[in-house]
Amino acid sequence: MTSYARADRVGGLIQQILSELLRRDISDPRVQRVTITEVKVTRDLRLARIYFAAAGGEAVAADAVQGFRSAAGFIKRRLGPQLGLRYMPALEFFYDASFDHGARIDQLLKSIATRSNEPDPSND
């Protein structure tokens, strides 16, 4: 078993616990409507990069990052005992724009489909 597998397991556990914390315990309105999409933990388990999606795009995401930073101490205190690691990883929060890109592509595909269903005025 490689250390990558352990880092992946720790990342999954952090994602699960943090999602539950967001749902139940964190009352900051900046992070209440946020979804944790992925947690990547370094091989040495010293750094956890937490990726999230937020309804409202990048403007809401900037506020959410500030909310996460202000709640980082609380989050680390709640994560630490449940992870059972010797050292609690440092937490970094990043906006995951892939959902916005997917929504934009979906919108473009729908507009193309709508145009292809319209009658061609040059055939009249």
Side-chain angles (χ1 to χ4, degrees), residues 76-89:
K76 287 178 84 169
R77 281 191 305 275
R78 297 297 296 268
L79 281 175
Q82 294 185 43
L83 292 177
L85 299 174
R86 180 174 291 174
Y87 302 102
M88 178 62 203

Side-chain angles (χ1 to χ4, degrees), residues 44-63:
D44 63 1
L45 305 178
R46 296 291 184 143
L47 176 64
R49 291 182 178 97
I50 300 167
Y51 297 89
F52 66 91
E58 297 204 17
V60 173
D63 286 341

Side-chain angles (χ1 to χ4, degrees), residues 25-45:
D25 299 329
I26 297 177
S27 60
D28 189 335
R30 297 176 290 186
V31 296
Q32 282 184 335
R33 297 181 62 190
V34 166
T35 302
I36 305 300
T37 58
E38 185 176 13
V39 177
K40 292 183 180 178
V41 179
T42 57
R43 288 177 38 195
D44 63 1
L45 305 178

Side-chain angles (χ1 to χ4, degrees), residues 14-24 35-37:
I14 290 173
Q15 182 175 358
Q16 178 184 4
I17 295 168
L18 184 55
S19 295
E20 188 67 22
L21 281 175
L22 287 173
R23 193 172 65 80
R24 291 183 152 191
T35 302
I36 305 300
T37 58

